[in-house]
């Protein structure tokens, strides 16, 4: 029976893992969105030497090896690192930092493509109406909203399915009562498989798969609405 294999014989173990996973991923993606959208507007609006190089670097960042990101974040946050005084190693905050690094290139790249696809007439009309650069940026984001939402969902998918970096910086820690502190769905699946609790691993895998399918389904619906509904 599955409940007998759960730490403490309770579904609180599974629930705590789901909550930690969502807390870390949603926070990381939210922070990444706040950074990525202004940068996408800045790069998309501005012509400067080396712009293509910047765009190439952004696109390359989408393929960052997660274990390398985790190692770099760990070195930065370790006691001997430049941010060691923050004492964030093996905490959810460290996991958020690593997922932020991984999600940002995805959100930034897709948002940049969406912003670049907005017609120049939209910007000109916003300027002609006396809009500031902020007003123009908001107008462009409104036109590119389907692409931006798709970018955010893609970043969330990248973050929530991550295992290597969060395992390195989070430590995969659970409390003595079995509830999660830094254990996520992906790292929990690894642990359960190694310990032979395959039923628990399958349940956790099904939950993760369901979350990813919901995100991908929502992204597909938004893209179809964007192509079929036009600008409202």
């Amino acid at each position: 029976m599955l409940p007998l294999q759960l730490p403490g014989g309770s579904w609180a173990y599974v629930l705590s893992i789901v909550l930690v996973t969502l807390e870390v991923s949603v926070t990381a993606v939210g922070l990444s969105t706040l950074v990525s959208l202004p940068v996408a507007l800045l790069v998309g609006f501005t012509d400067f030497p080396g712009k293509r190089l910047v765009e190439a670097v952004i696109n390359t960042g989408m393929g960052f090896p997660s274990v390398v990101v985790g190692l770099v974040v760990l070195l930065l946050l370790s006691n001997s690192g430049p941010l060691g005084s923050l004492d964030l190693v093996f905490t959810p905050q460290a996991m958020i930092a690593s997922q932020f690094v991984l999600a940002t290139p995805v959100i930034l790249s897709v948002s940049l493509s969406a912003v670049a696809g907005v017609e120049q007439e939209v910007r000109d009309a916003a300027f002609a109406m006396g809009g500031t650069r902020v007003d123009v940026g908001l107008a462009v984001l409104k036109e590119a909203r389907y692409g931006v939402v798709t970018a955010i969902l893609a970043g969330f998918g990248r973050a929530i399915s991550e295992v290597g970096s969060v395992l390195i910086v989070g430590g995969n820690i659970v409390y003595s009562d079995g509830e999660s502190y830094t254990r996520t769905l992906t790292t929990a699946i690894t642990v359960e498989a190694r310990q032979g609790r395959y039923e628990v691993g399958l349940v956790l895998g099904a939950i993760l798969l369901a979350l990813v399918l919901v995100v991908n389904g929502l992204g597909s619906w938004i893209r179809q609405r964007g192509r079929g509904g036009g600008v409202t």
Side-chain angles (χ1 to χ4, degrees):
M1 295 293 291
L2 177 59
L4 298 179
Q5 294 204 24
L6 293 172
S10 170
W11 283 91
Y13 171 71
V14 174
L15 179 60
S16 67
I17 289 173
V18 174
L19 292 178
V20 169
T21 300
L22 291 176
E23 177 188 358
V24 170
S25 296
V26 170
T27 303
V29 171
L31 293 174
S32 177
T33 300
L34 293 177
V35 172
S36 298
L37 294 185
V39 174
L41 289 172
L42 179 63
V43 175
F45 283 178
T46 308
D47 291 323
F48 55 89
K51 179 176 180 177
R52 290 189 176 182
L53 177 61
V54 171
E55 293 176 342
V57 170
I58 293 172
N59 292 330
T60 302
M62 297 177 67
F64 277 159
S66 62
V67 291
V68 175
V69 172
L71 179 60
V72 171
V73 173
L74 180 63
L75 292 174
L76 290 174
L77 298 178
S78 65
N79 292 334
S80 59
L83 302 178
S85 61
L86 299 177
D87 196 23
L88 294 179
V89 176
F90 303 140
T91 66
Q93 289 76 20
M95 297 160 64
I96 290 171
S98 68
Q99 288 196 5
F100 171 86
V101 174
L102 291 170
T104 295
V106 177
I107 298 176
L108 181 53
S109 179
V110 179
S111 296
L112 183 57
S113 297
V115 168
V118 175
E119 297 293 337
Q120 181 64 38
E121 288 78 4
V122 174
R123 307 180 193 178
D124 295 339
F127 274 122
M129 295 176 64
T132 63
R133 291 183 64 87
V134 174
D135 295 327
V136 174
L138 292 176
V140 170
L141 286 178
K142 181 179 179 180
E143 290 295 315
R145 61 190 180 277
Y146 296 115
V148 169
V149 172
T150 299
I152 296 171
L153 294 177
F156 181 77
R158 168 73 158 144
I160 199 172
S161 60
E162 174 50 38
V163 58
S165 67
V166 295
L167 185 61
I168 292 174
V169 302
N172 201 29
I173 300 170
V174 294
Y175 293 111
S176 58
D177 61 0
E179 293 194 14
S180 170
Y181 177 56
T182 60
R183 181 169 293 181
T184 64
L185 284 168
T186 52
T187 59
I189 292 170
T190 303
V191 170
E192 299 302 333
R194 287 179 178 176
Q195 295 182 354
R197 294 199 291 257
Y198 300 115
E199 296 90 344
V200 181
L202 287 172
V203 169
L204 296 171
I207 295 173
L208 178 60
L209 181 60
L211 290 173
V212 173
L213 286 175
V214 168
V215 170
N216 288 337
L218 182 59
S220 298
W221 176 77
I222 290 173
R223 286 191 294 270
Q224 291 175 2
R225 181 180 177 184
R227 286 194 294 263
V231 178
T232 57

